[in-house]
Amino acid sequence: MAQFNMDIGAGTVQTLGFAGQIFTGCLNGFQAFQKAQDLGRDALQLQITLEWTRSRLDMWGTLWGLERQEHLKDIRFRQFGMMALNHLVYINYCLEDFKTMDDIFPTLGDASKYASTPAVSLARLSKSAEVTPDEMDALRYKMEQLQVNAAGKEKVKWALQDGKALRMAETVKAMVEDLYTQFPPPAAETNAIVKNAYAASDSLDTLDDAANSSSSGPELASLCKFKAENIRLHLEKRSDKLQSTDPERRSDVLAETQMHKRADGTQNENRWLGRYREDGVSYSIPVLTEHKTVQGNVMTTSPIDNRIRNVARLLSMESKPAELRTLNCLGVTIGHSVPRTYRFIYELKSKTFFTLADCLRTPTEKNLNGLHRDKWPLEQKFNLAKQIARAVQYFHLAGWLHKGLRSSNIIFCADNEALIDLSEPYIIGFDYSRGEFARYETETVETTDDVEIAANAFRHPDTQGPPTDRSQFERKFDIYSLGMVLLDIGSKRSVPNLKEKFNKMPDRAPWAAEGFRDWLLVDAIDSNVTGLAARMGSKYADVVKTCLRGKFAESHKGDANVAFYLEILRQLQLCRV
């Protein structure tokens, strides 16, 4: 098409600027079909397919910044954007005039034929018709007249009778995937789930529909199933739809052999390596057990006991999202004496494990001041950071708070240090974890032992101090801890070492959490104290500061999931060697 090769002039820029309006019109076009709630089960597959496609298109346009005109700053869009614009026009017409879709553009039939080959379908659509100025004016008029009303339901009812609706949905889905293939946004990866209405829902019926539909795809289905289970576990009356089973195990199934040793040779009294023997099975499974001791009498119906059982149930689900980066939980043993001891049992993929804190530590004389932490290649560190950030995003999408994210709670399964794979991290340390809205299950973190006192360096200032002064735990506190883990990965000094350095500075109190954060943000992160920007790049350093400030969710129309993706996870994806 001649339009594809036109010079970058005022007319082209003005035309491409209209992409934002067309994009918004596309998103509106999905609403007529998504609001058809009374059409029965026959429409479910259509609705889920359309919502998946809408969220993919929404994320594509968001990453390009269409509504804010940011796409005009990108040379690729300025030169070749008419291809994408034509595609959006076709999607608009297809959604708006659905009942006559075969008469709008004959090329729509060709598009469905080539749905399995995006390159061919996009090229064919792009060359089959031009978007003339008259057509653009007509489209603008249609955008103004676009309304979501009862007529949309009638269209769907009519179309469901002969399958045209599903064929249309698949055609539009293929078109959106074409946009990603032929016109990828300026980001390494995309995640449409953060904008998917089914994933964001708290309705059990909606989550169940998405979890059990073949149209959802494995990623959306597993997240919705997991989130639904999390909600059901916290209902006053549990239903028979629970996917998990009672996690309590007898103590005799566990044969613990030794305490786990840290890299410095000290033993961790709360973590043991052992073997798990199932009933009637002669072989045993290597396991990690994490101990949690609760002082005083604990009733079986108490919030603490319920919370621990709920956590074990969720961690034991076979279909839980892989993005959570959790080990398979084989159950929990419960000692009924005083104090009560709980032991989470995790299946290991090796004979032993190493924590991230162990991996980042180089036990040599040169490391006495926390220096020389360059053991791992930069690309592996970037990949590790993305994996952990994505896990935090999925915890929050599922309505779950970890409450204990730090380097010692991220592990790697390996028989020896030489076999550690940084691309396979697993998150443990769920002894205080709970559902986001289960505030009645909140348990105050005890900071009486050396391990918990040291962990304060990773905790948000509002979660420290006397119990009466602490805030209710919320997402931004997990994100703060994520920022500290990212700092630990990239800094030339460990986070505990930075805390020690801060405490030794003149006129400092023994420990001031708020002052520590301010010192990191104002001085340490941008200076040679951490060397973070020099070692990991300015974009990575900015992500760490974003996590520590905790104010990013105020943008993006208040959508915390989108804000997290755009300002943290996506920025990490853009960190490249």
Side-chain angles (χ1 to χ4, degrees):
M1 291 175 59
Q3 286 177 310
F4 292 174
N5 300 317
M6 65 174 57
D7 294 334
I8 306 174
T12 304
V13 173
Q14 182 179 6
T15 302
L16 292 177
F18 187 51
Q21 298 178 49
I22 303 176
F23 167 69
T24 302
C26 284
L27 298 183
N28 292 339
F30 283 98
Q31 295 179 18
F33 307 102
Q34 291 296 75
K35 289 181 178 296
Q37 299 294 331
D38 58 350
L39 295 177
R41 300 293 299 182
D42 290 341
L44 180 60
Q45 183 179 354
L46 171 67
Q47 291 175 331
I48 292 177
T49 299
L50 285 173
E51 173 54 26
W52 176 258
T53 306
R54 185 207 62 79
S55 60
R56 287 280 288 170
L57 180 62
D58 194 354
M59 183 57 73
W60 179 86
T62 299
L63 293 177
W64 271 109
L66 292 185
E67 293 179 318
R68 300 185 302 275
Q69 302 288 300
E70 292 178 0
H71 61 294
L72 297 178
K73 302 175 185 178
D74 192 289
I75 189 63
R76 287 184 299 152
F77 213 107
R78 290 167 67 90
Q79 288 182 334
F80 307 110
M82 288 304 298
M83 295 175 65
L85 196 63
N86 285 346
H87 230 40
L88 291 173
V89 170
Y90 281 112
I91 292 172
N92 251 307
Y93 276 121
C94 189
L95 290 170
E96 187 185 350
D97 291 326
F98 172 64
K99 66 181 180 180
T100 58
M101 84 172 181
D102 289 333
D103 298 326
I104 300 170
F105 285 113
T107 51
L108 286 177
D110 292 331
S112 62
K113 294 177 184 178
Y114 294 101
S116 61
T117 55
V120 175
S121 60
L122 180 56
R124 189 180 185 91
L125 285 168
S126 300
K127 296 177 181 178
S128 59
E130 291 190 16
V131 182
T132 66
D134 290 341
E135 288 175 316
M136 296 294 285
D137 289 339
L139 180 59
R140 181 180 290 104
Y141 175 75
K142 288 197 171 193
M143 290 296 119
E144 294 172 353
Q145 301 301 315
L146 184 63
Q147 295 181 354
V148 178
N149 51 41
K153 294 182 180 180
E154 297 303 318
K155 296 177 184 179
V156 178
K157 287 180 180 178
W158 174 85
L160 282 172
Q161 295 176 2
D162 60 5
K164 283 190 175 182
L166 291 177
R167 291 199 299 273
M168 179 277 296
E170 291 301 323
T171 298
V172 174
K173 184 178 180 181
M175 288 178 173
V176 173
E177 294 308 312
D178 284 351
L179 286 173
Y180 274 98
T181 302
Q182 298 296 323
F183 215 75
E189 304 170 40
T190 58
N191 189 348
I193 280 188
V194 301
K195 287 204 168 190
N196 190 287
Y198 285 89
S201 175
D202 291 325
S203 163
L204 285 173
D205 289 339
T206 299
L207 292 170
D208 287 342
D209 286 343
N212 298 317
S213 172
S214 59
S215 301
S216 295
E219 189 177 359
L220 177 62
S222 64
L223 176 61
C224 289
K225 183 177 292 185
F226 187 85
K227 186 175 182 180
E229 186 77 357
N230 188 18
I231 293 174
R232 285 193 170 93
L233 286 173
H234 295 93
L235 294 176
E236 185 175 352
K237 292 184 178 180
R238 292 183 177 177
S239 69
D240 56 1
K241 291 186 178 182
L242 285 174
Q243 303 293 311
S244 57
T245 58
D246 184 357
E248 185 174 0
R249 301 290 179 263
R250 300 192 319 268
S251 59
D252 59 4
V253 302
L254 193 60
E256 294 174 330
T257 58
Q258 60 182 351
M259 286 186 192
H260 178 252
K261 288 186 178 181
R262 302 183 182 93
D264 60 7
T266 61
Q267 291 184 320
N268 188 338
E269 296 181 356
N270 295 323
R271 291 177 180 169
W272 290 67
L273 293 169
R275 311 291 293 186
Y276 181 84
R277 299 183 181 277
E278 295 179 318
D279 293 340
V281 179
S282 59
Y283 65 86
S284 58
I285 301 169
V287 294
L288 153 67
T289 63
E290 283 198 295
H291 296 198
K292 177 177 176 60
T293 301
V294 180
Q295 301 296 327
N297 291 315
V298 180
M299 302 296 292
T300 303
T301 56
S302 70
I304 291 177
D305 193 88
N306 285 334
R307 179 181 60 77
I308 292 173
R309 292 172 185 268
N310 288 344
V311 169
R313 275 178 172 267
L314 290 171
L315 291 172
S316 67
M317 287 185 65
E318 293 183 0
S319 58
K320 64 187 176 191
E323 292 80 5
L324 292 174
R325 302 306 308 172
T326 60
L327 294 167
N328 178 35
C329 181
L330 299 174
V332 59
T333 68
I334 303 175
H336 295 281
S337 59
V338 179
R340 176 170 287 196
T341 299
Y342 299 85
R343 294 183 294 182
F344 290 95
I345 309 170
Y346 298 106
E347 182 178 358
L348 284 177
K349 301 177 182 296
S350 58
K351 296 178 182 179
T352 187
F353 68 92
F354 298 85
T355 70
L356 176 58
D358 293 335
C359 294
L360 294 174
R361 183 177 300 151
T362 306
T364 67
E365 281 187 20
K366 294 181 179 180
N367 194 43
L368 293 178
N369 292 322
L371 304 177
H372 302 285
R373 292 156 49 81
D374 294 322
K375 182 177 180 179
W376 306 102
L378 185 57
E379 64 270 18
Q380 292 187 28
K381 290 184 179 182
F382 283 151
N383 185 50
L384 172 62
K386 287 185 287 186
Q387 292 255 42
I388 299 171
R390 186 182 293 109
V392 172
Q393 172 112 81
Y394 270 75
F395 276 120
H396 293 172
L397 284 170
W400 199 3
L401 301 172
H402 185 275
K403 296 186 65 177
L405 194 66
R406 54 183 180 267
S407 296
S408 59
N409 281 339
I410 298 169
I411 71 167
F412 304 90
C413 298
D415 290 340
N416 58 68
E417 195 170 358
L419 298 177
I420 292 174
D421 183 358
L422 282 196
S423 68
E424 290 291 324
Y426 292 96
I427 297 176
I428 57 175
F430 290 91
D431 43 338
Y432 291 101
S433 181
R434 67 169 173 83
E436 185 172 10
F437 299 108
R439 297 186 180 275
Y440 60 90
E441 291 185 350
T442 291
E443 181 185 355
T444 300
V445 176
E446 300 291 340
T447 55
T448 55
D449 58 38
D450 292 340
V451 174
E452 290 299 336
I453 291 174
N456 272 339
F458 289 86
R459 294 193 181 109
H460 191 281
D462 291 349
T463 65
Q464 301 180 38
T468 54
D469 295 340
R470 300 183 193 180
S471 302
Q472 286 276 6
F473 202 93
E474 52 186 301
R475 289 186 183 189
K476 70 177 183 180
F477 299 160
D478 268 345
I479 296 170
Y480 180 93
S481 296
L482 169 64
M484 298 304 291
V485 171
L486 297 180
L487 176 61
D488 209 16
I489 292 172
S491 171
K492 70 180 184 181
R493 287 182 169 86
S494 68
V495 167
N497 181 270
L498 289 169
K499 176 186 174 184
E500 183 179 350
K501 183 176 179 63
F502 172 78
N503 285 340
K504 291 181 179 179
M505 295 176 68
D507 303 323
R508 297 290 186 188
W511 174 242
E514 191 68 47
F516 182 55
R517 176 173 66 172
D518 292 344
W519 174 69
L520 291 174
L521 287 170
V522 175
D523 297 321
I525 290 178
D526 291 329
S527 72
N528 192 47
V529 173
T530 63
L532 190 64
R535 293 161 57 88
M536 305 292 289
S538 58
K539 190 178 293 292
Y540 186 97
D542 286 343
V543 170
V544 172
K545 288 188 283 188
T546 297
C547 291
L548 300 190
R549 290 192 184 105
K551 297 181 179 180
F552 63 95
E554 295 174 359
S555 56
H556 309 289
K557 300 179 182 179
D559 191 324
N561 293 325
V562 174
F564 182 96
Y565 175 78
L566 292 179
E567 298 195 28
I568 296 177
L569 184 52
R570 184 190 178 203
Q571 299 309 311
L572 290 174
Q573 292 170 355
L574 294 174
C575 293
R576 302 187 181 97
V577 178

